[in-house]
Amino acid sequence: MSDLFVKICGLKTAHDVDVAVEAGADAVGFVFAPGSPRTVDAVTARELAARVPAGVLTVGVFRGQPLDEVRQLTEESGVRAVQLHGDEGPEYYEALRAEGRTLLRATAERVERCGEYGEDLLLIDAPDPGSGKPWNWGSEEFSAPEGRWLLAGGLNPGNVREAVETTGAWGVDVSSGVERERGVKSPDLIRAFIEAVRR
């Protein structure tokens, strides 16, 4: 499990970014989707992304936003990856591909394999994204895709190890599972989550 890809998402402060990087995160995510308690603007995201070393991926998270808006916020913030939550088709990924960024596709649906829409990484979210409620990972309703995919939804320091062992995920993504209250990260929980994955 020590080689698992770990993404800490929904970061809003310099301290939280520093903690995630120091604890060993492979990627940090900044939410641009409107209406979330974790949403940041491009200026804030640029300042936070500037703190992140080259070996850690900076990800902008979008949900159902127009292509031009995604492009503009990605450029202004300087993030190196784009994560799309929504019904964007393959052409959307192709349009962003030309800019040479890592592309993540997030979905709560069954998917056969990573790359069907041209994404580099696939993120399998829980059926009710943002609810903090996980899949029943061992049930027939959950099927692991092929390739590089991240498990998300309802993960926390106490269950991430079981989740990975049950699903065989290539990586994990967490946001609410490392918060002390909605939208506010806990440095201790960030460290505990990464430690649970790495030990």
Side-chain angles (χ1 to χ4, degrees):
M1 280 183 64
S2 61
D3 293 337
L4 231 71
F5 188 94
V6 180
K7 175 170 168 278
I8 307 294
C9 201
L11 299 177
K12 297 195 300 183
T13 72
H15 182 60
D16 290 345
V17 169
D18 292 348
V19 167
V21 169
E22 287 163 13
D26 298 291
V28 292
F30 308 113
V31 176
F32 294 118
S36 166
R38 304 169 189 95
T39 302
V40 295
D41 58 31
V43 173
T44 301
R46 176 173 281 280
E47 291 171 355
L48 297 176
R51 307 178 71 84
V52 179
V56 177
L57 193 63
T58 50
V59 184
V61 179
F62 301 88
R63 184 185 296 275
Q65 288 152 274
L67 181 59
D68 287 347
E69 184 179 332
V70 173
R71 274 209 183 103
Q72 182 177 349
L73 286 167
T74 301
E75 285 292 336
E76 289 177 358
S77 64
V79 294
R80 305 206 324 275
V82 173
Q83 177 177 317
L84 301 175
H85 287 252
D87 54 6
E88 297 89 356
E91 69 285 349
Y92 214 102
Y93 291 82
E94 181 60 34
L96 292 166
R97 162 75 55 213
E99 291 155 24
R101 291 190 174 84
T102 301
L103 302 178
L104 292 84
R105 174 185 169 209
T107 180
E109 299 175 3
R110 280 196 179 204
V111 178
E112 292 293 320
R113 61 179 178 82
C114 173
E116 289 180 355
Y117 281 30
E119 72 275 11
D120 301 295
L121 300 173
L122 182 67
L123 189 148
I124 302 297
D125 209 341
D128 186 10
S131 68
K133 297 177 184 172
W135 283 95
N136 179 356
W137 304 303
S139 74
E140 290 185 359
E141 70 183 25
F142 183 86
S143 61
E146 297 175 16
R148 301 200 303 171
W149 69 280
L150 281 66
L151 182 66
L155 298 179
N156 59 55
N159 68 13
V160 64
R161 196 170 182 85
E162 177 195 354
V164 170
E165 289 171 352
T166 303
T167 63
W170 177 84
V172 289
D173 176 279
V174 68
S175 185
S176 62
V178 291
E179 291 180 346
R180 63 174 179 263
E181 59 185 84
R182 187 162 164 77
V184 182
K185 294 291 185 278
S186 160
D188 289 341
L189 288 176
I190 292 173
R191 292 187 192 99
F193 184 86
I194 296 175
E195 187 178 318
V197 173
R198 301 286 184 222
R199 69 165 182 251

